[in-house]
Amino acid sequence: MARVSNFNAGPAGLPLPALERARDELVDFAGTGMSIMEHSHRGKAYSGVHFEAMGLLRELLAVPESHHILFMQGGATQMFAQVPMNFLAPGKSVDYIVTGHWSERAVEEARLVAGIQGGAVRIAASSKEKDGIAYRRLPTPAEIHIDPAAVYAHFTTNNTIFGTQWFAEPDVGSVPLVADVSSDILWRKVDVSKYALMYGGAQKNVGPSGVTIVIVARSMLERARTDIPGPFRFKTFADNDSLYNTPPTFGIYLMRNVLAWIKSVGGLAQIEAWNREKAALLYGAIDAAPDYYGAPVDRSARSVMNVVFRLPTPALDELFVKQAEQAGMVGLKGYRSTGGIRASLYNAVTVADVEKLVAFMKDFAARNPA
Ligand SMILES: *Cc1c(COP(=O)(O)O)cnc(C)c1O
């Protein structure tokens, strides 16, 4: 069997043991004579999987009892609208820290919701370059102006496209902190009690697409609107253990496999150690050939998850992607609008995958002088 080294930005690679377990259990789940996909979401077999996944997530991330874990659908994109739907009202205002494409999209949706429900959307900070589309850094504390009366302050923990990442939460005072954690949830343990709400699609670090994880403080839910439709209220999911309607059962099952794998290798301490090792290897290779491999991102904000770099010319970028693919390394092409190379080093990418990439980079630079 030839598995490739998968550097896709999302959906991303899954840990092989999680896939092998799914293969082994696919047609006959736990001796029930059918696949988990064919079970009722109200039955015993699926319930076991559902609550095991929730329990594993709570354990691995040390989610305190003050917070609900919800399994939803619609992706982070739906959450861009659903979060303000739950909390915006006339006379209320929400703050956004804008650090890339996905935070821009979150602002756009919040503004649409404000147009319908009332309320205001403020930009508390932006690290967009003055004349350009790029975000190469994060705002400094002095550049962040939080409205102390805001209902929440939103930020994007990891900027998947531009390759920057927050290594400590922005200081938002006593304003409830909301985060899009789509592309770095579970890269390490974080202090969940600092967040009023975090959300992310599973397809980068936790499972397949189709499952959206929401972790929300009970105190935040008490402030949510109750006059929006049921399926859009976070409280509906919290009150029903995310079994209000049919959940994405197979996606949650696969997520269970990924979470069980994380636990089996030593939990998030081990995952973090691997992630730091992978990022150090790749940034090390870039920095060892700075005239050949250019990294545009401010050093202090370099993402451990998405490593962005470029070669001396777009033609070399293209050749690099093509030859890497021939050598069994896929998903290295940069985002459509930014170009260059992007290597996503999510949890399922192994240290060996990155060693292979780094060896290829040295060889490629030697074979193709600028
Ligand atoms: C991938 C991504 C999204 C979009 O996620 P969908 O699940 O496709 O809606 C949003 N935010 C961030 C930070 C992402 O990486």
Side-chain angles (χ1 to χ4, degrees), residues 318-332:
E318 207 174 305
L319 189 66
F320 181 94
V321 170
K322 193 174 149 207
Q323 294 192 351
E325 200 160 320
Q326 285 161 355
M329 289 168 280
V330 305
L332 290 164

Side-chain angles (χ1 to χ4, degrees), residues 6-59:
N6 186 343
F7 298 99
N8 273 332
L14 288 161
L16 186 56
L19 291 175
E20 287 173 336
R21 185 175 181 186
R23 177 198 61 198
D24 294 344
E25 296 179 340
L26 189 67
V27 298
D28 179 9
F29 177 77
T32 59
M34 55 178 155
S35 142
I36 192 69
M37 283 179 273
E38 301 166 290
H39 275 277
S40 163
H41 62 292
R42 310 266 173 221
K44 205 170 141 227
Y46 178 71
S47 292
V49 167
H50 188 87
F51 291 107
E52 186 187 346
M54 246 177 218
L56 280 166
L57 186 55
R58 190 173 288 283
E59 178 187 340

Side-chain angles (χ1 to χ4, degrees), residues 123-142:
I123 305 298
S126 168
S127 57
K128 190 173 193 159
E129 255 147 61
K130 292 279 174 286
D131 40 8
I133 57 153
Y135 292 82
R136 295 177 209 275
R137 62 184 190 90
L138 299 175
T140 63

Side-chain angles (χ1 to χ4, degrees), residues 74-78 80 102 156 158 160 180 182-183 201 203-204:
T77 304
Q78 184 171 307
F80 293 163
W102 296 115
T156 311
N158 180 68
T160 324
D180 174 359
S182 291
S183 56
Q203 71 271 20
K204 282 145 191 170

Side-chain angles (χ1 to χ4, degrees), residues 39-52 54 69-73 233-249 252:
H39 275 277
S40 163
H41 62 292
R42 310 266 173 221
K44 205 170 141 227
Y46 178 71
S47 292
V49 167
H50 188 87
F51 291 107
E52 186 187 346
M54 246 177 218
I69 294 174
L70 315 179
F71 294 154
M72 304 183 72
Q73 301 188 59
R233 269 181 260 145
F234 293 117
K235 192 158 187 310
T236 309
F237 282 72
D239 289 347
N240 291 282
D241 290 322
S242 300
L243 290 162
Y244 168 68
N245 67 331
T246 317
T249 54
I252 291 169

